[in-house]
Structure formats: structure tokens, C-alpha cells
Amino acid sequence: MQFTVLTLFPDILRAYFENSIMAKAVEKGIIAYDLVDIRDFARDKHHTCDDGPYGGGAGQLMLAEPLGEALDSVKAYKKRVIYVTPGGRPFTQKKALELSRESELVFICGRYEGIDQRIIDSYVDDEISIGDYVMSSGEVAAEVIIDTVYRLIDGVISAESLEEESYCGGLLEYPQYTRPQVYRDMKVPDVLRSGNHEEIRKWELKKRLEKTLANRPDMIAVARLAGQLTPEAEKMIEEITEQFSLKYADKRRKHRKRNVTAV
């Protein structure tokens, strides 16, 4: 896959592409990238790429002309163009999988108050947000999407690793342990050292369900609607929910007892 990134600060992204697993993927020829400096297409001697917005308001807006010429230089009108912006649709693992099937992705990294709407209307296929917050760096946001997408491409990471991680099957990942067996009086769960693969499978499923129920209960509802939860998983959910209720009730009793004692 080819990643083409249009940015005012290519050095931020260059370090990312030249390190870790990404660097190995580039070396193997699985991934290619092109960092396009938008300032190279500015029309004045100061390489100006921003100006105040029409209608007033705080901040600066990226100019349409240099950005449009930069997009034309990479023939963006023939490719899938992504603009990372807080105003976009939420980024998900499902979207990452969809994007991983493309042969090339073009990213526009915004800065300041964003980019001229006419660029969005003319070139952009996807406006994507990585979360409900605002960042100053479109480069960092683009890196998040690229990092999520490229690891799904064949040959970058083993298929087995991808099958067992968070969001696979609609659940979060189970906790994992490595050596030593005892760390600061905390032991690795006995089941993981038992060699009983069926019991390990059950433990992993239960832990995935516990974590998802605790941190992302909304995912359980989605997985249920998608038919991703087996009868075994549904039974475990009932047991876990009952355990949660008992723990909460016990915690409430202790809290009331402390308050009575304090009075």
C-alpha cells in the first residue's frame, strides 16, 4: 500500500515511517510512502500557507491554492483522499479494515483552524475524527489512522495476532502475562500455566467479556445485534453481571456502615 501525506511539517511523519515495524514494512516493500510539503506549492517568497477566515473569527485557515496544487501534484482526484478533522466521522476498527483494502490513501493534515471548505468539496472522500477532542496537529491524527490501517495489511503482522486482539469479535482483549511467574507478590493465573487449552480458552473469553462489560458495555450490545456472542458467552455475561451486582451491593453496605460509624 502507498501512503501519501500532505503536510506543513513532513519531519514529524518521517520519523514515524523510518522506525519500528513500519520501517520493516517499508524495507520489505509492503508499504511505500510519500511526504508532500505543502509549503513547496506556496506562491509567495515567504511560503505562506494560511490566512484569516472570511466572516471573521479567531485563528488562521490553510489556504486553498497551495493545498490544491499539492493535491494535484499527486493526482489526488484519482485516489481516496482522507482529511483528518474533529468534525469528521468517528474512526473505528471497521473503518480501518475498509481502508486497508485500498491500494493508496492520500491524507491531508490540517493545521490552525483547518482547511478551506472548497478543498473538502473538491477532493476529500472521507472526513475522519480519531476522537471527541481537538488537536493542534493533523500529522499526529494521520499517524493514528495510518498505524491502525497498515498493520492490517498482509505480511505486516501475523494473522494470529490480529485475530486475538481488542475489537476482534466485538470484544476487548483479555489480560496477558509473561515472565516472571511472580512479580511483587502477584502471580500469573494458574490456568495459564496449566497446559489445558480448553480451560485457557474459557478463561480468555470470560476475561474479554469482563473487560468489555466494565470498560465498553456499548460494545456488548453491538456484538449481540451482530450475532457475535455465542450461547457460552451469553451465559458467562449473566454470571459476570451477577458477580458485578453482588460486589456493588457489598461495596454499598460497607460504605453505609462507615457512614453510620462516623456519625
Side-chain angles (χ1 to χ4, degrees), residues 169-235:
L171 301 173
L172 299 179
E173 192 172 12
Y174 51 82
Q176 298 187 59
Y177 303 82
T178 187
R179 292 180 293 178
Q181 290 184 18
V182 180
Y183 171 69
R184 295 184 178 178
D185 297 328
M186 294 178 286
K187 292 176 59 179
V188 174
D190 291 337
V191 65
L192 298 181
R193 298 185 289 111
S194 69
N196 188 324
H197 297 294
E198 177 60 13
E199 289 302 312
I200 291 172
R201 181 196 67 79
K202 290 179 181 178
W203 181 90
E204 290 174 347
L205 175 58
K206 185 176 181 181
K207 291 300 179 182
R208 293 187 74 189
L209 291 165
E210 285 179 351
K211 190 168 187 176
T212 307
L213 283 165
N215 295 348
R216 290 291 305 276
D218 57 300
M219 289 177 60
I220 295 291
V222 173
R224 189 171 280 144
L225 287 171
Q228 294 176 299
L229 297 181
T230 63
E232 179 187 32
E234 291 287 8
K235 184 178 180 181

Side-chain angles (χ1 to χ4, degrees), residues 93 151 161-174 176 208 211-212 219:
Q93 190 70 17
R151 63 195 304 280
S161 294
L162 296 175
E163 288 172 359
E164 296 184 353
E165 59 189 12
S166 291
Y167 304 104
C168 180
L171 301 173
L172 299 179
E173 192 172 12
Y174 51 82
Q176 298 187 59
R208 293 187 74 189
K211 190 168 187 176
T212 307
M219 289 177 60

Side-chain angles (χ1 to χ4, degrees), residues 85-96 127-132 145:
T85 167
R89 290 190 175 92
F91 186 54
T92 63
Q93 190 70 17
K94 182 179 179 181
K95 187 67 174 180
E127 292 181 75
I128 297 179
S129 167
I130 62 168
D132 295 341
I145 298 174

Side-chain angles (χ1 to χ4, degrees), residues 39-259:
R39 294 188 190 279
D40 292 341
F41 298 87
R43 296 184 174 184
D44 66 330
K45 64 179 181 179
H46 299 294
H47 301 287
T48 303
C49 287
D50 63 284
D51 204 348
Y54 278 112
Q60 299 287 96
L61 202 66
M62 289 178 66
L63 292 168
E65 290 173 330
L67 182 50
E69 290 188 17
L71 286 160
D72 289 342
S73 75
V74 299
K75 296 182 172 57
Y77 45 84
K78 297 181 179 180
K79 301 164 185 176
R80 188 160 184 175
V81 179
I82 297 169
Y83 172 44
V84 285
T85 167
R89 290 190 175 92
F91 186 54
T92 63
Q93 190 70 17
K94 182 179 179 181
K95 187 67 174 180
L97 185 60
E98 175 195 326
L99 295 177
S100 71
R101 299 188 182 108
E102 298 285 338
S103 59
E104 180 172 358
L105 296 173
V106 177
F107 287 83
I108 300 173
C109 298
R111 280 273 169 171
Y112 318 118
E113 293 301 308
I115 66 177
D116 193 295
Q117 182 63 38
R118 290 167 291 187
I119 292 294
I120 298 172
D121 295 341
S122 300
Y123 294 93
V124 173
D125 298 298
D126 299 274
E127 292 181 75
I128 297 179
S129 167
I130 62 168
D132 295 341
Y133 47 86
V134 179
M135 302 174 66
S136 62
S137 172
E139 290 75 18
V140 174
E143 283 181 5
V144 169
I145 298 174
I146 292 169
D147 193 82
T148 309
V149 170
Y150 95 98
R151 63 195 304 280
L152 299 174
I153 297 169
D154 288 344
V156 175
I157 293 176
S158 70
E160 183 181 2
S161 294
L162 296 175
E163 288 172 359
E164 296 184 353
E165 59 189 12
S166 291
Y167 304 104
C168 180
L171 301 173
L172 299 179
E173 192 172 12
Y174 51 82
Q176 298 187 59
Y177 303 82
T178 187
R179 292 180 293 178
Q181 290 184 18
V182 180
Y183 171 69
R184 295 184 178 178
D185 297 328
M186 294 178 286
K187 292 176 59 179
V188 174
D190 291 337
V191 65
L192 298 181
R193 298 185 289 111
S194 69
N196 188 324
H197 297 294
E198 177 60 13
E199 289 302 312
I200 291 172
R201 181 196 67 79
K202 290 179 181 178
W203 181 90
E204 290 174 347
L205 175 58
K206 185 176 181 181
K207 291 300 179 182
R208 293 187 74 189
L209 291 165
E210 285 179 351
K211 190 168 187 176
T212 307
L213 283 165
N215 295 348
R216 290 291 305 276
D218 57 300
M219 289 177 60
I220 295 291
V222 173
R224 189 171 280 144
L225 287 171
Q228 294 176 299
L229 297 181
T230 63
E232 179 187 32
E234 291 287 8
K235 184 178 180 181
M236 285 184 178
I237 288 173
E238 289 181 15
E239 295 170 355
I240 293 165
T241 303
E242 185 177 352
Q243 290 170 3
F244 280 173
S245 298
L246 291 172
K247 285 182 180 179
Y248 179 74
D250 186 54
K251 187 175 181 181
R252 293 278 295 177
R253 281 195 299 270
K254 289 179 179 178
H255 179 69
R256 285 197 297 267
K257 187 176 180 181
R258 282 199 302 269
N259 288 341

Side-chain angles (χ1 to χ4, degrees), residues 20-41:
S20 192
I21 300 173
M22 174 60 86
K24 294 177 182 177
V26 171
E27 185 179 348
K28 291 177 182 178
I30 300 171
I31 300 297
Y33 69 95
D34 184 19
L35 305 179
V36 179
D37 191 338
I38 300 167
R39 294 188 190 279
D40 292 341
F41 298 87

